[in-house]
Amino acid sequence: MVRDLVLYTIVILLIILIFQPPVTSVRLHLITQPIRQTITRVFYGVAGILFLYVGINHRMRITCVLELGIGLLFIAMIVRVWLIKDTDEQRFREQNHDLLNVLRVQPGFTFKLERSGDVFYYRLLGGDLLKRMGLDMQVSYNRRKPVERLGNIFELSAETLEQLDEYYKQAWFGDQTVFELEFWEYSALVTLHPVRAAGVTRHVIGHVMDITEYKASEHKRKEMDEANHAKSVFLAHMSHEIRTPLNGIIGLSKLLNKTELTVVQKDYLHKLLASSRTLSSMLNNVLDFSKMEAGRLQLERLEFEPEKMLRHLADTVGTLLEKKEIEVIFITDPLLPKSVKGDPFRIEQVLLNLLTNAVKFTDRGHVLLQVRMLSQQNERIGVSFIVEDTGIGIPESSVDKLFVPFTQVNASTSRRYGGSGLGLAISKHLAEAIGGSVEVESRLGEYSRFYFNLELDIGKGHAESTRITQQFNGKALMVVQHELLKYSLNEILQSMGIETYTVSSFRECVDAVHNGEHYDWVIVDMGMNGIRGLESWRQWLQLLDRQITRVIGLTTVFQMDEIAAGDADSSVDAFLSKPVTREALLEVIGSRLEEEKPVSINGHTVDTHTLMGPRDEGEAVVQRFQILIAEDNEINRMVIAEFLIERSFEVTMVANGRELLESLELRAWDLVMLDLNMPELDGFETARHIRRKKAFNRLPIIAFTADAAQHKLEDCLRAGINAVLLKPVHELNAAKVLNSWIHLTWLQQLHGIQAEQAIASMDGKVYIFQFALYKWIQEYQNLDKRVMMKMDKGQLSAALRLIHSLKGGAGNLYASGLLAKIIELEKQLKRSRATSTGELYPDWRESLSLVQKEINQIKSSVPWS
């Protein structure tokens, strides 16, 4: 009975061993295979002995059959074991071969590093990099090759081998190690991964990545960056060398224009000024293009009024017309918000480039700028800017060349019209930078139309539209031929509540007055055929009741002086410079015009005359401000002096920074102006010397430079310079800067900050206060976005730290109104801890909006924003 039980047990175990499932995991198979083979062999030996023992002492038939079956199973098991063993070994060899193939084809190479005492050796070394180097470094598992041999093959120096040994030791202690290695003409990035078990490093797997091409491209990129920087510096310095004489040419031309000249001389002078402006424009384009190539184009996001931007643009475009008899017309959508957020300077630059091109290539017809509002949603609007002209047009095959730098449609275009071929390339790049894209439609010999669309945020301060709310009761007669100009004037006047009547010729105008109609305003296009040079013009004006009717003449800046020079009986009450903008027309309609002399309403002229215009000779001078100027160029000294003397300043000129420092103690100066590029002592050093004396803490320093590379506001502020003017100096820009800094006027206009208290806490140093305010605005101008981002990520503590930092800065600047809003915001943010998203107390979002609005208002009130 026992014997039978043993036999049955043997049979069952043999069957289990025969039909057991195979091991699928290669790694587990490698570990368990030796154990299984040992157990199987021991079991077969024991089973054979038992089988022989039991079989010899049993005589029954069933037992014989059972023994025979067991014997056959035993033989089958032996055969199967040998087959499985051979199959496993074959599979292992194939897997090992595949692994080696993978290692050989990788871009770099991989190695397994082991250690014997203090010597490291390789079990495996393979990869494509070795093959490309002509080396067969495949290492057997049973052979050891120390580091020194590998170093000899790679021709590594003793110092490098020593460093390698340190890296290997570091990896053996359990740290993943990464380092770069140079050998032959190759550069490699080596990564060492320690493999540890039970806290002990068994071996290290190393991977070598070939970074030769990357290093070469990095070196090439560095060379290109250095070349671009050198090019930018060269262009900036060349701009200085060109701008300095150019500033003198333009300045002297303007002074010459104020003297008695013949008609021919005036014509030559206008051409000289036009050529100078063209050269200045080309220089600006080259510098802008250089900045774009170098990736240093700076964009801003400011709150501005589109109508004011368009009015400034109109003034600039008006100076481009010269003797061209074409109409330039601006039509803006009355639904456009009064205030939006964006980069007004870049938008104006794109439009100016497009309009300049349109005027240049148009000899008849019109140039039209349309500004349309496409959409409005969630405090954002879509705006379309369209520039259309009736010029020479563009062949369809040449449209693709338009936006390629330094390229024009054909060579004859460049010879006839001039230009650098950069304007449209810059326009396209700028438009894309501010979120749009310039598109073009054209037909050769008929028209061209350029347009781009932008999305802008509605300004917080002025969400209402530009629709004119001030209404006038009265009638206006328009004597205008051009249909688009009629449409533009009609739309603006009717939006003011004025009843309009339109005639297209001087004869119709005379008939309208003879019919007994009375008009409050008569708007006459002075460039229209049949108006000027007629004796009947004076007679017609005498028919009007000039006490009731105001006559407004539409003209260009070039025709204005000529028309105004006529006798008083044939003059008009006001001139309106073309192209006419909504804001300019509203201003001239609503203003109380002087009856004694014509008034010019164009661009910023009203603002300039109001703030700092040239005074009439008979006007009493209340106060003459004292200005000390350091300028080494004699012509520039003359131009600057004449400009300031016309505005009733007393000017003292010196040639360099040392002479300026010597003159500081002579009297009390209201303002100092200096050139940044001067011999002996440049503008930066001169300003630093001035700021070392406490007596000059409140003395404004205005710098001017022709070198665009030096025009970095932060560097100037660090040196104690308050503002910078870029040569050639534009009179309007100069007047604006002077008005801001004479007697520190801007401090009284600063929003929400008690400037004098803040300055007192900074030892009375205005320039330190200005620099602190500048850095504070730079840091927190996008506060709302930063706080929202942190709160969305659940980083309440980080948001509170940011608010706490803002609170400290606001306290230092004595911004009491802002400080109160910040404290309230901080309280609400702390209450939002109740939920992870802060939605339980959503009032913090509104408080954040109020804080950001206050910051924006402070920013918009500083003179450098």
Side-chain angles (χ1 to χ4, degrees), residues 155-428:
E155 299 178 0
L156 302 179
S157 65
E159 183 181 353
T160 302
L161 286 172
E162 185 178 346
Q163 185 63 55
L164 274 178
D165 196 58
E166 291 298 321
Y167 287 137
Y168 293 155
K169 289 178 181 178
Q170 182 180 344
W172 201 264
F173 289 136
D175 297 333
Q176 180 173 314
T177 307
V178 181
F179 59 92
E180 287 189 19
L181 180 66
E182 301 284 341
F183 54 90
W184 293 9
E185 72 275 16
Y186 295 95
S187 298
L189 183 70
V190 183
T191 306
L192 303 178
H193 301 273
V195 178
R196 297 172 66 84
V200 178
T201 301
R202 301 299 182 184
H203 56 266
V204 172
I205 300 296
H207 177 69
V208 179
M209 180 186 297
D210 183 6
I211 59 172
T212 308
E213 292 184 5
Y214 170 78
K215 295 283 284 186
S217 64
E218 276 289 298
H219 181 69
K220 186 175 181 180
R221 186 189 63 80
K222 185 177 179 180
E223 288 181 344
M224 290 177 63
D225 288 344
E226 291 175 353
N228 279 333
H229 177 69
K231 181 179 71 174
S232 298
V233 171
F234 170 76
L235 286 173
H237 290 166
M238 281 302 299
S239 77
H240 175 261
E241 298 302 321
I242 297 173
R243 284 177 186 274
T244 298
L246 184 61
N247 186 55
I249 293 171
I250 294 176
L252 287 175
S253 300
K254 290 179 178 179
L255 294 178
L256 185 60
N257 195 37
K258 297 174 183 178
T259 64
E260 292 292 333
L261 298 173
T262 65
V263 174
V264 175
Q265 288 171 334
K266 279 188 174 291
D267 181 60
Y268 289 166
L269 188 58
H270 287 156
K271 287 181 171 61
L272 178 63
L273 278 169
S275 298
S276 301
R277 292 190 187 101
T278 301
L279 179 59
S280 179
S281 175
M282 290 176 63
L283 184 62
N284 290 336
N285 282 342
V286 171
L287 290 172
D288 281 342
F289 187 74
S290 176
K291 289 178 182 178
M292 293 174 189
E293 279 194 324
R296 296 202 308 271
L297 186 68
Q298 295 182 347
L299 299 177
E300 293 183 329
R301 188 172 179 272
L302 307 174
E303 187 165 335
F304 69 98
E305 296 184 22
E307 283 294 335
K308 289 188 181 296
M309 179 199 72
L310 292 171
R311 184 170 179 180
H312 183 265
L313 181 65
D315 299 334
T316 307
V317 174
T319 62
L320 304 175
L321 293 176
E322 299 185 20
K323 301 298 182 181
K324 285 198 170 186
E325 296 186 356
I326 61 174
E327 292 291 345
V328 180
I329 302 148
F330 284 17
I331 299 177
T332 57
D333 195 327
L335 297 178
L336 199 66
K338 186 176 182 181
S339 175
V340 296
K341 290 181 180 178
D343 192 331
F345 176 74
R346 297 303 178 186
I347 296 173
E348 183 177 338
Q349 191 175 358
V350 174
L351 292 175
L352 180 59
N353 278 339
L354 296 179
L355 287 166
T356 301
N357 259 19
V359 170
K360 180 166 65 174
F361 295 116
T362 304
D363 295 321
R364 57 180 177 81
H366 69 265
V367 171
L368 171 66
L369 169 63
Q370 282 184 285
V371 183
R372 298 175 180 170
M373 195 170 81
L374 300 177
S375 62
Q376 180 174 351
Q377 186 176 9
N378 297 331
E379 300 301 315
R380 287 180 67 81
I381 60 168
V383 183
S384 178
F385 298 89
I386 305 167
V387 176
E388 177 187 283
D389 66 70
T390 56
I392 61 176
I394 306 162
E396 186 177 351
S397 59
S398 301
V399 170
D400 293 339
K401 300 178 183 178
L402 287 175
F403 302 106
V404 179
F406 304 103
T407 303
Q408 292 192 337
V409 172
N410 55 56
S412 62
T413 301
S414 179
R415 288 194 299 271
R416 179 179 176 186
Y417 297 99
S420 61
L422 279 176
L424 288 178
I426 290 173
S427 298
K428 184 175 180 63

Side-chain angles (χ1 to χ4, degrees), residues 581-595:
T581 62
R582 183 182 299 272
E583 187 181 68
L585 183 56
L586 174 63
E587 187 173 301
V588 74
I589 289 292
S591 64
R592 301 298 301 173
L593 303 178
E594 300 179 19
E595 296 183 5

Side-chain angles (χ1 to χ4, degrees), residues 10 48 68 100 136 146 174 230 264 267 329 338 427 508-509 523 564 587 622 633 642 664-665 678 697 714 825 831 862:
I10 292 172
L68 181 61
L100 292 177
D136 183 10
V264 175
D267 181 60
I329 302 148
K338 186 176 182 181
S427 298
E508 292 178 65
C509 176
I523 301 175
E587 187 173 301
V622 177
N633 185 280
E642 287 295 329
L664 276 176
E665 307 289 351
M678 293 185 295
N697 281 349
E714 185 167 333
L825 171 61
R831 286 207 303 267
V862 298

Side-chain angles (χ1 to χ4, degrees), residues 11-28:
V11 170
I12 292 170
L13 290 175
L14 286 173
I15 292 173
I16 291 172
L17 287 171
I18 292 172
F19 295 104
Q20 65 179 327
V23 178
T24 56
S25 172
V26 175
R27 184 177 179 182
L28 186 61

